[in-house]
Amino acid sequence: MKEIDKILNTQLSDIKDQGTYKNERVIETAQEAEINVNGKKVLNFCANNYLGLANNNQIRQAAMNAIKEWGFGLGSVRFICGTQTIHKELEDSVSRFLNKDDTILYSSCFDANGGLFETILSDKDAVFSDELNHASIIDGIRLCKAQKFRYKNCDMDDLEKKLSQSTARIKLIATDGVFSMDGTIAPIDKIVNLAEKYNAIIMVDDCHATGFIGKNGKGSAEYYNVLDKVDIITSTFGKALGGASGGFVSASKSIIDTLRQKSRPYLFSNSLAPALVVACLKALEIINLNKNLLKDLEQNTLFFREKIKEIGFEVMGESHPIVPIMIYDAKKNVALSEMLLEKNIYVIPFSFPVVPKDQARIRVQLSSIHSREQLEYAINAFKDCGKALNII
Ligand SMILES: *Cc1c(COP(=O)(O)O)cnc(C)c1O
C-alpha cells in the first residue's frame, strides 16, 4: 500500500469512529414519491424534487426529442463551438422568468457561485456573507480578492454593523434565499432596505426556492415582492426545475457579459448537454403554465407541517417544504430514521457537523407529487416511532 493510501485510510477510520461516515443508499428506480431501496418500496421524503418534475413525462419526452434533433453532446465550451440556439433560448427563458437582463448557464450552481465573485469583485470591493451560506458561496468568496465579512445568520443588526464600517467601492451582500438545513427563508426585504441605506448590491442563491417559492415560483425575492431589488440571482436546474443538473446566474447585462468574458468555470468547462437544455426549457414552461404544481406543493407543506406539530414534534421554519423535525439528540435521531425506514419512510438524519452540536434533526422534504394518503401514512409512522422512542 502506498503512503497516501495509509494516511487516507487512517483518516477514513477516524470519520467512521466519529459516526459521520456517509454510506450512500442506492435507489433502484427513477426519482419519484415512491422509490425502491434494497428491493423494498419506500416513500421518499428527502429529494429536492419539489414539483415532481424529475421523472415528468413531458420533460422526459422533451429530452429524448432533443437528443434526436440536437445530438447527445457538444464536445466544446460555449465560446468555441458549444452554443446552440437552445442554449440562448434557455438563457432568455430564465431571464424572462426572473425579470433580469440576461442569464449565463453553468454546469452546476456550484460552478456558478464558484465563478461569480472573483470575476466581478476586486480588492477595492467588499463582500458580506451570511454565516450559513452554502459551501459553493463560501468557496466562491474564498477565490476573490475582495474584503470579506461574515454576518450572523439572518442577523440584520450584525449585517448593518458590518456594512456601516465599510468604505469599499462595491459592497455585495451574498445570501442563500433559503437555508436548507433550517427551512427558513432569508429576510430579503430587510436586506433590500439595508442595501439601499448603505449603497450595496445583493446576490441571492435561490437553489431551494427557484420554481416554487413566491406567488409564481420566481423564488425567495418574489416571496417578499422585491424581485427587482435583487441584483444577482444564482440557482440550479438540479432541484425543482427538473432535478437533472446545470446552474445559472441572472443579472444585469454588464454583469453577465463580464462573466461570459472572464468567469473560469464558464470559460473552461463544457457546455450543458442539449437534452438537459431542452428539458429545462420544458420544466420552465410547465411551471409557467401549470399553477397547480405550486398549489399542490403548498397544500402538502401546510398539511404536513400542521399535522406533525399536532402530534407533538417540534419543527423549524414557517412555510417552506423543507421541514426540519428537531430531535436534538444525535443517537435518537439516527434511531428514529432507522425505525421509520422499517415502516418504509425514507428520511435522512442530520447531525453535527452538518448542523450545530445537539441540534440533530430529521429533514423532511415535501413534493407536489406526494398524495394525501402518503402524507397521512408518514404522519402515522412518525407518531408510532416518536412514541416508541419517547420523543413525543
Ligand atoms: C444545491 C445547492 C447548490 C448546488 O447546486 P448544484 O447545481 O447542484 O451545483 C448551491 N447552492 C445552494 C444554496 C444549494 O442548495
Side-chain angles (χ1 to χ4, degrees):
M1 202 184 277
K2 295 207 170 139
E3 187 67 10
I4 183 163
D5 298 309
K6 286 184 206 152
I7 294 170
L8 295 181
N9 280 335
T10 312
Q11 288 174 12
L12 285 166
S13 20
D14 285 350
I15 298 175
K16 282 180 187 155
D17 289 346
Q18 285 156 20
T20 53
Y21 187 87
K22 290 177 282 300
N23 283 303
E24 294 178 4
R25 287 186 190 162
V26 177
I27 77 169
E28 294 142 359
T29 48
Q31 191 67 281
E32 283 284 0
E34 200 171 75
I35 55 177
N36 271 24
V37 178
N38 288 334
K40 193 168 115 167
K41 262 194 200 166
V42 297
L43 290 179
N44 186 1
F45 285 99
C46 48
N48 299 314
N49 187 20
Y50 296 108
L51 299 174
L53 298 181
N55 195 29
N56 172 283
N57 200 34
Q58 281 175 283
I59 292 178
R60 286 164 32 147
Q61 206 59 51
M64 287 189 276
N65 292 343
I67 289 180
K68 283 192 201 131
E69 186 171 354
W70 298 97
F72 174 61
L74 279 162
S76 171
V77 298
R78 288 287 299 273
F79 80 94
I80 297 180
C81 54
T83 301
Q84 293 170 314
T85 322
I86 48 177
H87 293 83
K88 299 312 283 181
E89 279 173 19
L90 181 57
E91 287 173 342
D92 289 347
S93 171
V94 173
S95 304
R96 275 198 304 279
F97 187 63
L98 297 177
N99 208 17
K100 295 282 170 266
D101 290 351
D102 201 0
T103 294
I104 177 172
L105 304 177
Y106 286 84
S107 302
S108 67
C109 186
F110 204 107
D111 275 350
N113 290 336
L116 174 69
F117 301 95
E118 70 151 348
T119 310
I120 61 169
L121 300 177
S122 78
D123 56 6
K124 297 188 183 67
D125 307 317
V127 56
F128 303 80
S129 173
D130 189 292
E131 66 178 352
L132 288 193
N133 276 345
H134 190 263
S136 54
I137 300 181
I138 295 170
D139 286 6
I141 290 174
R142 273 190 193 145
L143 292 172
C144 84
K145 294 200 174 68
Q147 262 193 298
K148 300 162 183 92
F149 297 90
R150 200 166 69 143
Y151 63 92
K152 294 202 186 85
N153 179 232
C154 298
D155 184 333
M156 293 299 102
D157 294 335
D158 195 29
L159 173 58
E160 175 154 24
K161 201 166 86 195
K162 285 171 173 138
L163 283 169
S164 67
Q165 287 165 358
S166 167
T167 54
R169 183 184 63 175
I170 298 168
K171 301 186 193 91
L172 172 61
I173 304 166
T175 183
D176 277 17
V178 171
F179 294 94
S180 62
M181 287 298 144
D182 297 347
T184 48
I185 305 177
I188 302 183
D189 51 344
K190 300 197 178 84
I191 292 176
V192 164
N193 293 340
L194 286 181
E196 285 178 350
K197 186 165 169 193
Y198 293 99
N199 193 26
I201 61 170
I202 304 172
M203 172 272 188
V204 172
D205 172 347
D206 236 1
C207 283
H208 282 284
T210 304
F212 62 99
I213 294 293
K215 190 156 59 76
N216 300 293
K218 294 174 197 278
S220 49
E222 188 192 42
Y223 178 85
Y224 292 107
N225 263 317
V226 292
L227 189 55
D228 293 340
K229 300 282 174 69
V230 170
D231 303 277
I232 303 170
I233 295 174
T234 70
S235 195
T236 184
F237 295 109
K239 290 181 176 130
L241 303 183
S245 59
F248 60 84
V249 181
S250 291
S252 68
K253 189 162 181 340
S254 59
I255 290 176
I256 301 304
D257 267 357
T258 305
L259 292 173
R260 279 194 215 284
Q261 300 309 311
K262 301 204 299 192
S263 180
R264 293 164 71 85
Y266 181 80
L267 287 178
F268 300 111
S269 188
N270 213 36
S271 284
L272 270 193
L276 291 182
V277 173
V278 172
C280 291
L281 270 164
K282 182 55 86 180
L284 278 170
E285 186 190 316
I286 291 173
I287 291 166
N288 279 322
L289 291 176
N290 183 359
K291 297 293 176 224
N292 285 336
L293 291 179
L294 262 72
K295 240 178 259 158
D296 290 346
L297 176 60
E298 195 184 343
Q299 277 167 10
N300 282 350
T301 300
L302 289 176
F303 178 80
F304 188 87
R305 279 184 169 275
E306 193 185 301
K307 293 290 171 200
I308 198 84
K309 279 191 269 188
E310 222 171 83
I311 61 175
F313 282 100
E314 184 189 334
V315 303
M316 280 182 87
E318 307 264 302
S319 57
H320 197 276
I322 291 174
V323 188
I325 300 175
M326 303 306 294
I327 309 299
Y328 298 105
D329 180 83
K331 287 205 179 101
K332 254 191 190 171
N333 199 39
V334 173
L336 176 59
S337 77
E338 281 169 359
M339 203 181 264
L340 283 164
L341 189 60
E342 277 166 31
K343 292 188 182 289
N344 305 329
I345 300 291
Y346 185 4
V347 286
I348 296 288
F350 289 93
S351 56
F352 186 79
V354 180
V355 295
K357 270 220 162 78
D358 303 319
Q359 295 277 313
R361 67 199 66 176
I362 298 231
R363 186 178 73 171
V364 164
Q365 286 176 283
L366 298 159
S367 169
S368 61
I369 50 171
H370 286 129
S371 69
R372 193 46 63 95
E373 271 173 350
Q374 289 172 334
L375 297 184
E376 276 165 358
Y377 179 86
I379 292 286
N380 279 329
F382 266 97
K383 193 172 170 182
D384 294 345
C385 301
K387 280 191 173 148
L389 292 169
N390 279 328
I391 297 168
I392 54 170

